[in-house]
Amino acid sequence: MTRNIKTLDLVRGSRWKQKRNDDVTNRIEEEQASGQDMTASMGNNADGEPRNGSANKTDANADSVYTVSVTGAYDNDGFKGDGDGVGNIVKKPRELTDEEASQQGKFKLSPREKWRILKNVSAVSFAFMIQFTAFQGTANLQSSINAKDGLGTVSLSAIYAALVVSCIFVPTFVIKRLTVKWTLCLSMLCYAPYIGSQFYPRFYTLVPAGVILGIGAAPMWASKATYLTQVAGVYAKLTDQAVDGIIVRFFGFFFLAWQTAELWGNLISSLGKSTLAFRPIINTN
C-alpha cells in the first residue's frame, strides 16, 4: 500500500513537472514570436522592405535572432539644438562691423535712408527737366535761327550720329570706370558746349559741340536708368514693398518731370520770338 502511494506521488510529480516545463516552453516561444514581430516591424518600412541600420539578420533558420540598432531609426530632429549635447547648438551670427561690411561689399541702412533716396530721385528728375528745357528749346529752333547753309540741321545730324555710335561702345566702358553717379554728372556736362555755342553759331563751334553732346548722351541715359533701378531696389527693401512697383513709380515720376521740359522749352521759345517780333525799330537817323 505504501509502495503504491509513493508510485502515485511520483507519477503526479512527474506530470506536474512536465506541465510546468510545457508552460515555460510555450511562454518562451510566445515571447520569441512577439519579439520577432516587433523587430521585423521596426526594421521594415510600410512596404515591408528593411530600413537602413534597423535590423541585421544573423541566421537564416526559423529560430533566427535579430539585433536591433537604434542609432539611425530613432533620430528626432525635435531634440537637436537644445543644448543637451545631442545636436549642434545654433549660434546667432555675429554682427559685422562697418569695416568688415565694406570689405564684403555690404552696407548698413537706416530708416531715414528712404527719404534720402526720394530726395535724390527728385533731384535727378528736376535736373533733367531743367537741362532739357534748354536743349529741346534750342534744338526745335535750329532749322529757323541757324538756317543759313543748313547749319542747324547739320548740327542736329552730328548729335544723333554720335549718339548712335556712343550707344554701342561708351556706356558700359564709362560706367564701369566712373560708377553710375560720376558718369551721370559728367555726361550731363556734355550738353553745356552745344547750348553755349548758340551765342556764336558757326560750323566749327556747333558741329563739334553736337558730337560731344551725342557722345555724352548715351552714358547719361544708361547711368540714369541704372541709378533709378538700384535705388528702387534699396527703397523696396526698406519699405517692404515689391521691387517692380517701386521701379515703375520712380521711372514714372522721372518721365513726368522730363516730359514737361518740352512744354517749358517751347513756351520760352514762343515768348522769345514774340518779344523779338514786337520789338520797336529805333530810327537812328
Side-chain angles (χ1 to χ4, degrees), residues 12 33 43 50 71 84 86 92 102 135 139 172 194 200 218 240 258 270:
R12 290 178 178 176
T71 303
D84 58 356
V86 177
K92 184 179 180 181
S102 61
F135 171 70
T172 304
Y194 184 79
Y200 191 75
D240 195 18
W258 178 72
S270 176

Side-chain angles (χ1 to χ4, degrees), residues 36-59:
Q36 291 178 0
D37 293 338
M38 181 183 68
T39 306
S41 64
M42 292 171 56
N44 298 336
N45 54 20
D47 298 330
E49 298 178 357
R51 292 178 184 149
N52 293 333
S54 61
N56 298 323
K57 192 171 182 180
T58 61
D59 191 2

Side-chain angles (χ1 to χ4, degrees), residues 230-258:
Q230 289 177 348
V231 297
V234 177
Y235 187 86
K237 290 183 179 180
L238 290 173
T239 58
D240 195 18
Q241 300 183 47
V243 179
D244 295 341
I246 301 299
I247 292 175
V248 172
R249 188 182 306 173
F250 282 4
F251 273 86
F253 180 79
F254 170 82
F255 282 104
L256 169 67
W258 178 72

